[in-house]
Amino acid sequence: MAAFAEGLGRPDNIGITAKKMARSYYEKKQVLIIEDLAEMRSQLKSMLERLGIRRIDTTLNGEEAIEALKSKNYDIVFSDYELGRGKDGQQVLEEARHAKLLKEVSCFILVTAAQTVEMVMGALEYNPDGYITKPVTYEDLSARVERILKTKLIFEPINQAIDDGDLTEALDQCDELIKERPKIALPVLRIKGRIYLHEHNLEKAEQTFKSALSIREVAWANLGIAKVRYEQENYEESIEILETLRNKKEKYVESQDWLAKIYEAQGDLEKAQKTLEKAIAESPKAILRQSELARVARLNNDWAVATQAARKTVSLSRNSCHKNPEQYINLVEALQTQIAPSGLRDRRYISTEIMKTLNAIRTEYPDDLSLMVHTYTLDSNTQQKLGKASDAKKLALEARRLIQSAPAEVAIASHVVKSAGECLAETCDKQTLMDFIESKAGQNYLSDEGRESLLQKARSAEENRIQEYIDSLNNQGVEFFEKGKLHNAIEMFDQAADQAAASFSVLLNAVQAHIALLQKEGPNEHNQKHCEAHLKRLSNMPKDDRRYARYAKLSEMFHACLSQKK
């Protein structure tokens, strides 16, 4: 049932009889115990042997368990929830379902001492077949195992057909079982509905879920109809059903995932984000939901939430089958947006986390050249935001070196090459960028539009650098002027004014400083010539410019100085 389960909760009561299962039935079972504590492993094994189970394997941690599941088909898996370092029991179950290492006819039982909401809600989303709470007694174990196996035995023809990939046969077996045992029609209809949804047979799926609701009002059937309405793009009716489910006493977290999908489809990203935030508050260990929240928050430009969700995604992914480098990259990009508005201390913390995350990528994926190049471009962008132009340039050049030295058979993602080009455009001179664009890598990976975009970026970056240079000189000039150091002020203002991009404000500052020196020290041919040159450029100022009055006043003062000279 797992392939079609998707967090639909515990199975309905199917009216299992009290008749004991034969010992010979247990003898055929292949069992795996996943437990890091030797004493608990021994106790579980001893109890299972009392039941008649003989073929028992044990593993000490989640990583060993996954390898065991890959090598052998187990009928029953007992896993402790807390397994020390590495994967926990939920993550073993998650990967077993995701990678289809556990057959539908098999069962997975979590053994746990912790019954926190976070643990229960997280594990439920991957549908374990049951729980056993520590300390485990033989009576509790035998009763639970027997009940689970009886359920599996009833559904075995359906599950076997699903394992064989024959969904038509699985549906036929569902119909047979309903005829034979009408009292358990609800859980069988649940399986049928999921299969029809899986096959995108919306009409049959709706009929099946309505048949279930005609027997009893069950949440999973309402959720099934809401999914059908979503696929039909009947969003308003789907929202009505999902809102009702979300507001029920029992936590039906999956309804919020579907609500978020609908809100996004309707263009209401803010509602989608708030819905995901509420779902995560109820079930914080769901890595895919955290990743989805990070994505939606990015679209909303809510970088604080995007950063928090991306950080949580990376944390949860460390031992998860859903781990991928994009999660790390998303975290870095979210963190980068936090640099500019932060104070010095926060900037230091943020940059440290970025470096730590980039180093984690390099450690985890050292053989992925495209990814390595991307880490250098991200690093370069970070250093730029921190105002470390020299470091940013070195990192951009290292990204270029890796691209140009890549073996012919190794492909690098075109967006990574473009990002490297953008770093070169922002940190290096135009010729360095042109050499990169005209190189073999540039020709192979960059489109004509991409090359023109980089050249435009280089022009903008050069303009920005010149403007930053002008602003720096002007600011120094203002400081000197306010301290009465007129010669130093004039030196700074003149250097700034000599730039073609110098603004009217810079030219006015230069003129004012020259006039102040003329007034203080008397006639000076050098000062006069510079002042005249600046005023000539200022003569192009439109009369409706707010600075025109200042220009007119300074021009009048300059000519007054000349009159005094005569």
Side-chain angles (χ1 to χ4, degrees), residues 348-400:
R348 187 162 56 246
Y349 285 140
I350 292 167
S351 62
T352 298
E353 185 175 0
I354 289 174
M355 294 305 108
K356 183 179 178 182
T357 306
L358 290 174
N359 287 334
I361 298 175
R362 291 164 184 154
T363 301
E364 294 285 343
Y365 307 96
D367 299 325
D368 189 330
L369 184 59
S370 186
L371 197 54
M372 290 303 101
V373 173
H374 203 169
T375 64
Y376 282 104
T377 63
L378 290 168
D379 204 345
S380 178
N381 290 336
T382 301
Q383 299 310 316
Q384 267 194 289
K385 291 178 181 295
L386 291 169
K388 299 179 179 179
S390 177
D391 290 340
K393 180 178 180 179
K394 288 177 184 177
L395 291 160
L397 292 172
E398 178 60 17
R400 181 192 67 173

Side-chain angles (χ1 to χ4, degrees), residues 1 12-14 155 184-192 220:
M1 290 188 285
D12 300 88
N13 190 316
I14 59 172
F155 289 94
I184 65 167
L186 273 177
V188 181
L189 288 170
R190 192 178 191 186
I191 299 170
K192 282 189 69 176
W220 56 260

Side-chain angles (χ1 to χ4, degrees), residues 296-459:
V296 173
R298 282 167 66 100
L299 293 175
N300 272 331
N301 290 317
D302 188 341
W303 292 105
V305 171
T307 302
Q308 183 181 4
R311 187 182 285 130
K312 187 66 174 177
T313 301
V314 168
S315 174
L316 290 171
S317 75
R318 287 195 179 99
N319 300 299
S320 170
C321 57
H322 297 299
K323 177 181 179 179
N324 65 71
E326 197 64 30
Q327 295 160 348
Y328 291 81
I329 290 169
N330 289 340
L331 175 56
V332 170
E333 291 177 344
L335 286 166
Q336 284 179 337
T337 66
Q338 308 293 300
I339 292 175
S342 301
L344 183 61
R345 184 178 178 184
D346 287 339
R347 283 160 65 93
R348 187 162 56 246
Y349 285 140
I350 292 167
S351 62
T352 298
E353 185 175 0
I354 289 174
M355 294 305 108
K356 183 179 178 182
T357 306
L358 290 174
N359 287 334
I361 298 175
R362 291 164 184 154
T363 301
E364 294 285 343
Y365 307 96
D367 299 325
D368 189 330
L369 184 59
S370 186
L371 197 54
M372 290 303 101
V373 173
H374 203 169
T375 64
Y376 282 104
T377 63
L378 290 168
D379 204 345
S380 178
N381 290 336
T382 301
Q383 299 310 316
Q384 267 194 289
K385 291 178 181 295
L386 291 169
K388 299 179 179 179
S390 177
D391 290 340
K393 180 178 180 179
K394 288 177 184 177
L395 291 160
L397 292 172
E398 178 60 17
R400 181 192 67 173
R401 185 192 69 76
L402 286 174
I403 292 171
Q404 293 181 335
S405 63
E409 67 275 10
V410 176
I412 298 176
S414 57
H415 76 276
V416 171
V417 176
K418 185 173 182 290
S419 293
E422 289 173 349
C423 285
L424 290 171
E426 291 171 355
T427 62
C428 300
D429 58 82
K430 186 177 178 181
Q431 188 56 51
T432 300
L433 177 64
M434 285 300 302
D435 290 344
F436 177 71
I437 289 174
E438 293 171 0
S439 70
K440 187 176 180 180
Q443 296 299 314
N444 288 342
Y445 290 107
L446 298 172
S447 63
D448 290 342
E449 294 80 6
R451 294 185 193 98
E452 180 54 40
S453 173
L454 290 179
L455 289 172
Q456 179 57 46
K457 201 171 195 67
R459 286 190 286 269

